[in-house]
Amino acid sequence: MKKRRLTMLFVSVCSLGLMSGLSARAGSIELEDGSKLVGEIRSVEEETVIIDTSFAGELSVPMEKVAAVATDDARKVALESGHALVGTLKAEDGKTVIETSLGTFDLTSEKIAAVWAVDGTRPEVEQLQRRIEAHRGTWEYELYGDLNGKSGNSDRFGTEVGAQAALSRPDDRLEFRASFQRVEDEGNETVDEMKGSMDYERDIARRHSWYTRLELERDDVEKLDLSTVAAAGYGYYFVRRPKHELRGRTGLLLRHESYENQVSEQTVGVDFGLHHRSEINDWLSLVNDVTYTPAIDNFGDYRIDHESSVETPLGDSEIWKLRMGIANEYNSSAPPDTDELDISYFARLVMSWH
């Protein structure tokens, strides 16, 4: 007898759980062709009914194809006449009625403008808020640092630290960067430079954009007091997907350099650039950047800057990452007693957040 009671209790609990699960999706819409969709009515906005079904997820159905709407609980309903009601929508004989605290009303002659949760926000207002947030954009920040050294037959020690702030919006992007690098080899400084940059890009169309960028650099080893590069031009996206993009740029460039010996140089050049980014999977991404900037009056006077890196998160962290790569700087008109090509390898600990 006791075992039988326990069995009946278990069946009752399961039945209640099943009924609860069904009631969570007790809403429905009846279509003009007589078919019926069962699920939770999310909202009605822009003459579209959004219903969450168990077999196909969220579906958007044009209101013109809907004969009747039923909800599993009370909702706020706005009519095109300007009236607003609070109640539960029911489908009766192919038409929509609403049960309110003041009675039941037939909405056949009315046109529903919007339906939303009693404690929620009207869909039009929520959509406007989303547009405002998208226009404001999202700031992403990054700090990184790396140390490298060698001892034995030769002593070498180097360090680099940097920061980045980037703003992304639907139609434009803005990025700031700053870095400091210092390297000692056998007690002699071989690298001592500070860099800063700004890059702004605005879309003209899906694949087309215009850009402007500014670079500042100081290098004590090369006796460079200040180098300023200003460029602007046209950009084109050969590939533009959320996890994969390939972009080319071409424009005009003005470079001004001042050295410690009071010598100044100014060059007008062409700005060519290629950027590639690929998120291969959740734990590995690849970035390649190349710029080629020859002088207009002498194509034998040019600079090439290249950086390739791979990045992977550290464990399950969404903040800490490891970035490894190679960077090359080539100056065909390097100052006396300095190499034309600088090559550096790096393994950086990166902290990023937004």
Side-chain angles (χ1 to χ4, degrees):
M1 188 71 176
K2 185 176 181 181
K3 183 176 180 181
R4 185 177 180 183
R5 288 179 179 175
L6 288 173
T7 302
M8 292 178 65
L9 178 61
F10 176 74
V11 171
S12 299
V13 171
C14 290
S15 299
L16 287 172
L18 180 58
M19 291 175 65
S20 299
L22 290 173
S23 64
R25 292 185 177 273
S28 65
I29 57 175
E30 294 182 8
L31 303 181
E32 293 286 355
D33 62 5
S35 58
K36 185 177 181 179
L37 292 175
V38 178
E40 181 182 357
I41 304 298
R42 293 293 191 188
S43 66
V44 176
E45 53 183 297
E46 294 186 348
E47 298 188 354
T48 301
V49 181
I50 300 175
I51 182 171
D52 187 8
T53 66
S54 59
F55 64 92
E58 278 195 359
L59 297 176
S60 298
V61 183
M63 197 66 177
E64 60 185 18
K65 295 185 178 182
V66 176
V69 180
T71 60
D72 56 345
D73 54 7
R75 300 292 176 94
K76 288 183 178 179
V77 180
L79 306 176
E80 285 200 347
S81 62
H83 296 92
L85 299 170
V86 178
T88 303
L89 293 172
K90 302 288 185 181
E92 295 183 358
D93 300 326
K95 60 184 180 181
T96 303
V97 300
I98 183 169
E99 294 180 352
T100 73
S101 58
L102 300 176
T104 301
F105 300 93
D106 185 355
L107 299 180
T108 303
S109 60
E110 296 280 359
K111 190 171 183 181
I112 298 175
V115 176
W116 68 99
V118 174
D119 58 350
T121 304
R122 183 161 174 155
E124 297 97 318
V125 176
E126 189 174 333
Q127 188 178 56
L128 180 60
Q129 290 173 343
R130 288 196 298 264
R131 289 176 180 173
I132 292 173
E133 288 299 321
H135 181 72
R136 288 177 180 171
T138 303
W139 279 99
E140 295 185 358
Y141 305 94
E142 177 181 296
L143 294 174
Y144 69 84
D146 64 70
L147 297 172
N148 58 79
K150 179 182 178 181
S151 61
N153 294 326
S154 63
D155 293 324
R156 186 178 188 275
F157 177 79
T159 181
E160 181 173 352
V161 293
Q164 177 179 318
L167 173 64
S168 296
R169 294 187 293 198
D171 299 325
D172 62 352
R173 290 150 298 282
L174 175 64
E175 183 180 281
F176 296 97
R177 289 188 178 187
S179 65
F180 170 75
Q181 184 180 20
R182 188 170 186 271
V183 177
E184 286 188 4
D185 197 344
E186 296 291 341
N188 299 315
E189 284 187 347
T190 56
V191 178
D192 188 358
E193 64 181 19
M194 291 185 293
K195 291 182 177 181
S197 67
M198 180 279 293
D199 191 297
Y200 177 74
E201 180 182 51
R202 184 169 184 82
D203 294 338
I204 303 171
R206 167 65 181 165
R207 294 180 178 271
H208 307 270
S209 64
W210 63 266
Y211 75 93
T212 181
R213 65 185 185 92
L214 175 68
E215 294 180 359
L216 303 174
E217 179 182 353
R218 177 185 173 89
D219 192 327
D220 287 343
V221 173
E222 295 184 0
K223 310 300 182 183
L224 178 64
D225 274 343
L226 181 65
S227 172
T228 304
V229 176
Y234 164 77
Y236 180 79
Y237 283 84
F238 300 95
V239 179
R240 194 172 195 182
R241 295 195 290 268
K243 294 187 176 183
H244 186 203
E245 64 181 27
L246 177 62
R247 182 199 66 208
R249 283 179 172 180
T250 181
L252 293 177
L253 170 146
L254 176 64
R255 185 191 309 273
H256 182 83
E257 295 176 330
S258 300
Y259 292 88
E260 291 182 1
N261 58 6
Q262 307 300 317
V263 174
S264 295
E265 296 179 358
Q266 185 164 295
T267 305
V268 177
V270 185
D271 187 36
F272 296 110
L274 190 65
H275 167 76
H276 173 252
R277 177 185 62 85
S278 177
E279 295 182 24
I280 299 172
N281 48 45
D282 292 338
W283 55 271
L284 186 65
S285 60
L286 171 68
V287 177
N288 296 288
D289 282 293
V290 180
T291 59
Y292 168 58
T293 55
I296 289 180
D297 59 351
N298 179 14
F299 266 64
D301 179 10
Y302 61 91
R303 312 285 178 90
I304 298 177
D305 291 290
H306 158 258
E307 183 174 307
S308 292
S309 64
V310 293
E311 186 177 273
T312 182
L314 294 178
D316 296 329
S317 176
E318 296 182 357
I319 298 177
W320 294 100
K321 302 172 185 177
L322 178 64
R323 182 180 300 155
M324 298 178 290
I326 181 174
N328 300 294
E329 295 182 9
Y330 183 83
N331 183 358
S332 65
S333 302
D337 302 323
T338 60
D339 293 330
E340 293 180 340
L341 178 64
D342 283 336
I343 303 175
S344 59
Y345 305 89
F346 57 84
R348 295 169 180 166
L349 183 63
V350 179
M351 181 177 68
S352 60
W353 71 98
H354 59 269

